Amino acid sequence: MKSLKVADLMTDEVVSVAPGTAFKDIVTLFAQYDISGVPVLDDEDRVVGVVSQSDVLAHAEPEPGAPQDEGAPARPATAGQIMSSPAVTVHAEETAADAARLMSRRGIERLPVVDEEDRLVGIVTRRDLLRMFLRPDSEIRRRVQDVLADLADVPAGDVDIHVVDGIVTLAGTVPRGSRLPVVLGLVERLDGVVAVASRITTRTDDAASTRAGHPRRAMPLRTVGDVMTHAVITVDRGTACEDVAETLRMWHLSSVPVLSEDGRVAGVVCESDLLLRPQEEAGTPRNALAGQLMTRPAVTVQKDTTIAGAARLMARGHLKRLPVVDDDGRPLGFVSRGDLLRAYLRPDADIAAELRELIAYQLLPHGSADVDVHVADGIVHLHGTLPDPTLQDVLLRAARTVPGVVDVEADFHGPRTRVGVTATNEPPDAGAPPAEAAQTGPVP
């Protein structure tokens, strides 16, 4: 999340309702503003609850004229009766990482943002937090140019950089071959990059010393397969609307794939389809079938799709979940916004282990540096000695590409680190309890 604040990502124009807002008016707001939840405010604009599509489906009104059991309680008719309460909220100055952890821990998709007096000032959703993967192509291009200039001594214009939908294409010549694998690795791991195609040549092959030491080992990119949920929950075309709704409730899902007769994913039915489309296209909810309600063709991904690529697909289609399919289009599981966010919500020990491996096998293959890695609450502390001062920027940039890293602080012997990275002469995390052995220690 790179120290982004909730204020950087939240929406400050919020659709909200009062406790007395009628059930049908809430459904209308969902359709009118293309949203899946609204905060419920009291007379002083304090958040007292949240109504989501799941809340609405769970308390859906019976069809007009449908028989009802005598003595059965009346269905809730207002926001105050169906809302989830008390509301889980967040403050604008909290980090995006903290907001994502709170969403993951509580299993929710949105957080009302409140001020010091708990009055509503905005809302942040999982879709908002996924914007870290969705950097504009122009910004990606600028960051790629920075990497080439700072780490490979490439003057502007020597390498053509084209970025389309997060796919980076590089063509040109760089002076030093030894830095090229590192540079390409860092470009691949920049936030928002989906893939990198390189047609770069080198003027000088100075990689002999690299080949003489430990071989460089490619660091795999994070993909859908790393974070997907492997449960395969589906319905077929003939499944009744009521049964689809029950499947969503039973498995706590917001959508479910619809299979064709040959077992391939033919479409997807989501909560909004059940709430809005039956009346418009398929008759009454009780008569509608999944094949009539589903959105088609289904937007799907494969296990080797990058997390950035999956996030872009979700953003384009305003989708909460994507079916994961094999080469034949048969379901293997699904990936949700929450799954993608969990790529950045990793234990400190995992972050530290990946960073040490990245340093040892990608950046310093000779083991000639003494670099200690410490991670606490996603904040990386690097300190030690480097044989080449220019490697400082390489290490700092590399650390920021590791999923789960919130910020990087560094203190190396020799020249100071560049602006934008906190440098300190004090031991990292001074005064904190000793870190677990798996979270801190020198690079092997």
Side-chain angles (χ1 to χ4, degrees), residues 6-175:
V6 169
D8 298 325
L9 299 173
M10 73 180 192
T11 299
D12 53 15
E13 296 183 3
V14 187
V15 179
S16 63
V17 297
T21 302
F23 180 96
K24 289 183 178 180
D25 292 337
I26 298 172
V27 176
T28 300
L29 287 174
F30 286 170
Q32 181 178 351
Y33 292 99
D34 189 23
I35 54 179
S36 60
V38 289
V40 183
L41 307 185
D42 65 13
D43 294 338
E44 296 182 346
D45 288 337
R46 291 187 172 91
V47 182
V48 295
V50 173
V51 176
S52 68
Q53 286 182 338
S54 299
D55 295 323
V56 172
L57 280 176
H59 300 88
E61 293 179 323
E63 259 194 285
Q68 299 185 48
D69 294 337
E70 293 185 5
R75 292 282 188 176
T78 66
Q81 292 172 291
I82 67 174
M83 68 184 183
S84 298
S85 180
V88 181
T89 62
V90 67
H91 288 88
E93 291 308 307
E94 295 187 51
T95 67
D98 288 336
R101 290 189 179 97
L102 183 57
M103 285 184 186
S104 180
R105 187 167 61 247
R106 300 297 291 269
I108 53 181
E109 296 185 3
R110 66 195 59 78
L111 288 170
V113 185
V114 297
D115 61 17
E116 294 179 355
E117 296 182 350
D118 292 330
R119 291 186 173 89
L120 184 72
V121 297
I123 195 164
V124 64
T125 66
R126 286 178 177 174
R127 183 166 70 184
D128 295 326
L129 296 180
L130 285 177
R131 281 161 52 190
M132 63 187 171
F133 296 109
L134 304 175
R135 298 183 184 275
D137 288 341
S138 58
E139 182 180 344
I140 294 174
R141 186 185 186 283
R142 178 183 58 76
R143 297 184 70 202
V144 172
Q145 182 64 69
D146 288 345
V147 170
L148 291 174
D150 294 346
L151 306 183
D153 301 323
V154 177
D158 280 18
V159 172
D160 292 327
I161 306 170
H162 298 280
V163 185
V164 179
D165 289 338
I167 300 175
V168 179
T169 302
L170 304 173
T173 303
V174 299

Side-chain angles (χ1 to χ4, degrees), residues 56 110 117 124 134 178 267 318 342 362 366 384 395 400 403 441:
V56 172
R110 66 195 59 78
E117 296 182 350
V124 64
L134 304 175
S178 61
H318 298 276
R342 279 194 289 275
Q362 277 283 102
H366 304 294
L395 262 63
R400 292 183 180 277

Side-chain angles (χ1 to χ4, degrees), residues 335-367:
V335 63
S336 67
R337 291 173 181 167
D339 294 328
L340 298 187
L341 287 176
R342 279 194 289 275
Y344 275 74
L345 303 178
R346 306 169 65 198
D348 291 336
D350 290 354
I351 297 173
E354 179 171 341
L355 183 52
R356 288 193 201 100
E357 186 174 9
L358 178 64
I359 292 173
Y361 292 101
Q362 277 283 102
L363 308 178
L364 305 173
H366 304 294

Side-chain angles (χ1 to χ4, degrees), residues 7 24 59 62 105 140 151 161 179 216 236 264 272 279 308 318 330 372 380 415 424 432:
K24 289 183 178 180
H59 300 88
R105 187 167 61 247
I140 294 174
L151 306 183
I161 306 170
R179 286 288 176 87
R216 293 193 184 276
D236 59 40
R264 292 180 171 87
S272 59
Q279 292 82 358
H318 298 276
R330 291 181 170 83
D372 187 76
V380 173
T424 175

Side-chain angles (χ1 to χ4, degrees), residues 304-340:
D304 59 357
T305 302
T306 64
I307 287 177
R312 281 178 177 266
L313 286 176
M314 287 184 180
R316 285 197 191 111
H318 298 276
L319 304 173
K320 296 179 182 178
R321 293 158 41 97
L322 293 171
V324 183
V325 300
D326 62 17
D327 292 339
D328 295 322
R330 291 181 170 83
L332 299 173
F334 65 87
V335 63
S336 67
R337 291 173 181 167
D339 294 328
L340 298 187

